[in-house]
């Protein structure tokens, strides 16, 4: 226990050191930016030859390329892209004007260049679901005519936070369920406020579902997965999708709802970054408050942590059972079974887990209404079984065959010899490697956000999208993963001690332990 406490204290110290180093690096970069303020970008033409960042799948870079030539950097979200801009890794970030205004509001010293393209955004639906598409289009046209959409846009883009509440509706669900894909980290379109998913898109989705007499199901996913999700049928629709000829080949666009501008956000000439007078402890306290306490965001972390634990525990359970079966097939004398097991192992070991999850989600289970968490469990179980089966096989092959032959000579059956002679010795070889493989799988679950699962990492990204703090949420999430994996290692280590006869204490029945002289009890 002392060793465990010491390691936890050391990990906290390392996290604080990383926070301090990241803050010092940021201040150094900001001081350098002061010296280069004369080179600040003031027009779109100056972006030629510069480094620009964009979000995967968004159309802003496609509108940018015909006019300017720049070095392109691709990001998965606005938080890392914003931090890259402030750190000097890129010179500009591309977005629509609404997102740019929010970024500038939260980060003084940044500025927005003039628009370089106009975007007509509308609802995207599955091409094959013509009935739903026609009904939605009729309702949207009516909402445009009576001003409903305009009122929703003004409410969620305004400065009155008290007015930003979802409309009251009654989803009777008599006509089925409407599945809508949202990002969940895109203010003011869809974001978390007081642990509730709100925003312009959420509000409009509720009104549309109410008009059509349908239940509403919101699926939080990365933007890069929204259009594939519509095309594959995992979701029915998504909002604010910019029209392009390439996208129109995969999905159907309804009547245009709004117009956005593609803009570039850059550092202004007077950019100084974070106030230099703020102490490290004050900065750490403020980051902790924004990450965990504001709007009770710690509850989002707990929700994501629970999802991570559920996926990890179920995957190791079913993956181990499947691994035992594959191991038995691999060691079978039947060439067909052994060959199939070997093909399975080599195939799964050669496919990245992210691709396996996306194949399951967007292809094999595309038409099946199943919780993405279950798909993740299936994917990680399949992946874990391939490695666990080889661990089991090598441990069994490492046992002394002479002992098994001696057991047969003493009258043991084949199954009794395996469970009483081979298996106890094999477990000593299995657990150390099995423990490491399990920990690796727990850390690999951080990629499940690709298939619309809000795990620990995804919840951290959602919080970062609201705080625009790239350092503290990442370090806090890393610390939580460390504690979680260390607890798993500790539990498996205790199991290993109880199984390995060389490490556990031996107690011989009928023999009393020796007592030091002078300590004998009176009889």
């Amino acid at each position: 226990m002392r060793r465990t406490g010491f390691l936890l204290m050391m990990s906290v110290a390392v996290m604080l050191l990383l926070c301090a180093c990241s803050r010092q690096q940021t201040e150094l970069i900001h001081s350098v930016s002061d010296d280069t303020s004369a080179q600040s970008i003031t027009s779109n033409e100056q972006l030629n030859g510069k480094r620009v960042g964009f979000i995967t799948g968004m159309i802003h870079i496609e509108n940018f390329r015909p006019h300017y030539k720049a070095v392109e950097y691709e990001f998965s979200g606005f938080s890392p892209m914003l931090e890259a801009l402030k750190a000097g890794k890129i010179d500009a970030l591309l977005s629509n004007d609404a997102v740019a205004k929010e970024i500038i509001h939260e980060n003084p010293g940044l500025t927005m260049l003039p628009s370089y393209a106009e975007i007509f955004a509308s609802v995207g639906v599955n091409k094959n679901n013509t009935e739903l598409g026609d009904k939605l289009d009729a309702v949207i046209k009516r909402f445009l005519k009576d001003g409903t959409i305009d009122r929703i846009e003004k409410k969620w883009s305004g400065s009155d936070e008290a007015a930003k509440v979802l409309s009251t509706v009654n989803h009777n669900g008599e006509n089925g369920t409407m599945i809508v894909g949202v990002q969940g980290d895109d203010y003011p379109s869809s974001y978390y406020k007081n642990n509730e998913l709100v925003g312009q898109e959420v509000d409009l989705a509720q009104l549309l579902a109410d008009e059509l007499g349908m239940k509403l199901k919101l699926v939080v996913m990365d933007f890069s997965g929204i259009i594939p999700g519509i095309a594959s049928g995992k979701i029915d629709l998504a909002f604010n999708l910019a029209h392009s000829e390439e996208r129109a080949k995969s999905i159907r666009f309804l009547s245009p709802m709004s117009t956005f501008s593609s803009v570039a956000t850059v550092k202004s000439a007077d950019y100084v970054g974070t106030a230099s007078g703020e102490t490290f402890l004050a900065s750490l306290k403020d980051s902790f408050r924004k990450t965990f306490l504001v709007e009770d965001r710690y509850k989002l972390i707990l929700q994501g942590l629970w999802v991570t634990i559920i996926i990890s525990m179920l995957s190791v359970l079913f993956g181990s059972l499947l691994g035992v079966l594959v191991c038995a097939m691999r060691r079978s004398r039947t060439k067909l079974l052994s060959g199939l097991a070997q093909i399975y192992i080599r195939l799964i070991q050669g496919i990245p887990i992210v691709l396996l999850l996306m194949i399951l989600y967007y292809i094999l289970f595309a038409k099946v209404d199943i919780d993405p968490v279950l798909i993740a469990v299936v994917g990680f179980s399949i992946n874990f079984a391939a490695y666990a089966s080889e661990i089991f096989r090598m441990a069994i092959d490492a046992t002394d065959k002479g002992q098994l032959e001696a057991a047969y000579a003493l009258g043991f059956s084949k199954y009794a010899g395996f469970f009483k002679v081979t298996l106890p010795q094999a477990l000593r070889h299995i657990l150390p490697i099995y423990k490491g493989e399990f920990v690796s799988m727990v850390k690999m679950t951080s990629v499940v956000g690709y298939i619309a699962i809000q795990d620990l990492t995804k919840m951290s990204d959602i919080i970062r999208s609201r705080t625009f703090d790239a350092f503290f949420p990442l370090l806090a999430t890393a610390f939580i993963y460390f504690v979680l994996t260390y607890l798993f290692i500790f539990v498996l280590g205790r199991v290993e001690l109880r199984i390995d006869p060389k490490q556990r204490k031996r107690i011989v029945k009928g023999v009393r332990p020796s007592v030091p002289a002078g300590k004998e009890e009176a009889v």
Side-chain angles (χ1 to χ4, degrees):
M1 293 300 293
R2 291 181 179 178
R3 181 183 177 186
T4 302
F6 174 75
L7 288 175
L8 290 176
M9 291 177 61
M10 288 297 296
S11 64
V12 172
V14 170
M15 189 183 76
L16 293 176
L17 180 61
L18 289 174
C19 288
C21 292
S22 64
R23 184 174 184 271
Q24 290 177 359
Q25 182 183 14
T26 303
E27 291 179 349
L28 177 61
I29 292 170
H30 291 160
S31 65
V32 173
S33 67
D34 292 340
D35 298 333
T36 59
S37 60
Q39 302 176 1
S40 60
I41 299 172
T42 57
S43 66
N44 290 322
E45 287 70 23
Q46 290 179 279
L47 294 175
N48 283 305
K50 300 295 185 179
R51 301 162 299 176
V52 299
F54 63 96
I55 303 297
T56 303
M58 289 194 174
I59 203 169
H60 307 295
I61 189 64
E62 297 179 22
N63 295 331
F64 181 86
R65 287 170 181 156
H67 305 287
Y68 312 103
K69 303 297 181 183
V71 181
E72 300 175 2
Y73 288 81
E74 192 169 356
F75 294 86
S76 60
F78 281 106
S79 294
M81 184 165 61
L82 174 61
E83 197 57 40
L85 174 63
K86 294 193 291 186
K89 302 295 185 181
I90 59 175
D91 301 303
L93 64 85
L94 306 181
S95 68
N96 63 50
D97 52 344
V99 173
K101 290 176 182 177
E102 173 65 16
I103 291 176
I104 293 171
H105 175 72
E106 296 290 336
N107 298 270
L110 300 182
T111 187
M112 180 174 63
L113 298 181
S115 169
Y116 62 83
E118 295 297 319
I119 303 173
F120 296 96
S122 61
V123 175
V125 299
N126 188 287
K127 279 189 170 184
N128 298 324
N129 198 345
T130 55
E131 181 181 359
L132 177 62
D134 293 341
K135 291 180 179 179
L136 283 171
D137 201 34
V139 177
I140 288 172
K141 288 179 179 178
R142 178 157 53 85
F143 281 179
L144 287 169
K145 187 176 181 180
D146 63 19
T148 300
I149 292 179
D150 186 55
R151 288 195 298 271
I152 293 175
E153 289 181 355
K154 289 181 179 179
K155 177 173 69 173
W156 292 100
S157 60
S159 58
D160 186 4
E161 291 296 326
K164 296 179 180 180
V165 293
L166 297 175
S167 303
T168 303
V169 294
N170 180 25
H171 298 143
N172 52 38
E174 60 183 12
N175 295 324
T177 301
M178 185 172 72
I179 305 175
V180 179
V182 296
Q183 292 178 253
D185 57 358
D186 183 19
Y187 182 91
S189 298
S190 60
Y191 63 99
Y192 279 87
K193 180 180 180 181
N194 297 322
N195 300 313
E196 181 185 10
L197 189 59
V198 297
Q200 176 183 328
E201 294 180 359
V202 179
D203 204 359
L204 182 56
Q206 286 196 345
L207 293 176
L208 289 175
D210 184 57
E211 286 287 329
L212 299 179
M214 304 178 72
K215 288 184 179 180
L216 177 63
K217 179 180 179 181
L218 297 171
V219 178
V220 178
M221 56 200 313
D222 289 339
F223 184 82
S224 59
I226 285 182
I227 293 180
I230 297 174
S232 64
K234 294 302 295 184
I235 58 176
D236 295 320
L237 62 108
F239 296 98
N240 291 327
L241 296 180
H243 183 278
S244 70
E245 294 183 1
E246 186 175 0
R247 290 179 175 180
K249 296 177 182 178
S250 302
I251 63 175
R252 173 188 174 185
F253 286 92
L254 304 184
S255 300
M257 290 173 47
S258 56
T259 302
F260 294 99
S261 297
S262 289
V263 297
T265 301
V266 298
K267 294 178 182 178
S268 60
D270 57 350
Y271 177 76
V272 294
T274 307
S276 58
E278 189 179 34
T279 64
F280 166 68
L281 290 179
S283 174
L284 185 65
K285 182 179 179 180
D286 183 60
S287 295
F288 182 88
R289 182 186 63 83
K290 291 190 297 183
T291 301
F292 294 107
L293 302 182
V294 173
E295 299 179 356
D296 292 335
R297 288 173 182 156
Y298 70 91
K299 294 181 180 179
L300 296 178
I301 295 293
L302 293 178
Q303 292 174 17
L305 178 61
W306 177 246
V307 171
T308 296
I309 293 175
I310 289 294
I311 294 175
S312 300
M313 298 305 296
L314 292 180
S315 297
V316 75
L317 173 62
F318 294 118
S320 298
L321 295 176
L322 181 58
V324 170
L325 177 61
V326 175
C327 176
M329 293 173 60
R330 183 78 169 84
R331 300 185 74 251
S332 174
R333 295 181 180 179
T334 305
K335 291 185 178 181
L336 177 61
L337 293 178
S338 178
L340 289 175
Q342 191 169 0
I343 292 173
Y344 168 82
I345 293 169
R346 298 294 175 260
L347 179 64
I348 298 302
Q349 288 180 343
I351 299 177
I353 185 62
V354 176
L355 293 182
L356 178 60
L357 292 175
M358 295 179 74
I359 290 172
L360 292 173
Y361 185 75
Y362 290 112
I363 300 177
L364 296 183
F365 292 99
K367 302 298 182 181
V368 181
D369 185 13
I370 183 174
D371 195 310
V373 172
L374 296 180
I375 296 178
V377 171
V378 171
F380 278 101
S381 298
I382 292 173
N383 185 78
F384 188 78
Y387 294 93
S389 64
E390 289 294 89
I391 295 174
F392 299 157
R393 183 179 66 86
M394 288 186 292
I396 293 173
D397 291 343
T399 57
D400 187 0
K401 299 299 184 293
Q403 296 185 31
L404 189 59
E405 293 174 358
Y408 292 156
L410 292 173
F412 280 72
S413 66
K414 182 178 180 180
Y415 295 101
F418 176 80
F419 285 104
K420 293 186 177 182
V421 178
T422 303
L423 184 59
Q425 297 182 72
L427 287 175
R428 292 168 48 195
H429 301 287
I430 289 174
L431 278 178
I433 310 174
Y434 183 87
K435 182 168 56 177
E437 192 62 39
F438 174 54
V439 170
S440 297
M441 186 200 66
V442 173
K443 292 185 290 186
M444 283 193 296
T445 59
S446 60
V447 303
V448 296
Y450 281 93
I451 59 170
I453 295 178
Q454 294 167 275
D455 69 318
L456 179 58
T457 302
K458 181 62 178 178
M459 285 302 190
S460 173
D461 290 339
I462 289 173
I463 292 175
R464 288 168 62 204
S465 70
R466 298 288 288 125
T467 63
F468 292 103
D469 185 349
F471 292 118
F472 188 83
L474 287 179
L475 294 176
T477 304
F479 176 72
I480 294 172
Y481 270 111
F482 169 78
V483 174
L484 179 63
T485 54
Y486 188 82
L487 289 176
F488 285 144
I489 291 174
F490 177 78
V491 172
L492 290 176
R494 304 304 296 180
V495 174
E496 185 179 357
L497 285 176
R498 296 185 64 86
I499 289 177
D500 192 347
K502 292 183 178 180
Q503 299 188 48
R504 67 171 182 256
K505 294 182 179 180
R506 295 185 179 184
I507 300 177
V508 182
K509 294 182 179 180
V511 179
R512 295 181 60 186
S514 60
V515 180
K519 300 292 184 179
E520 297 87 351
E521 295 182 1
V523 180

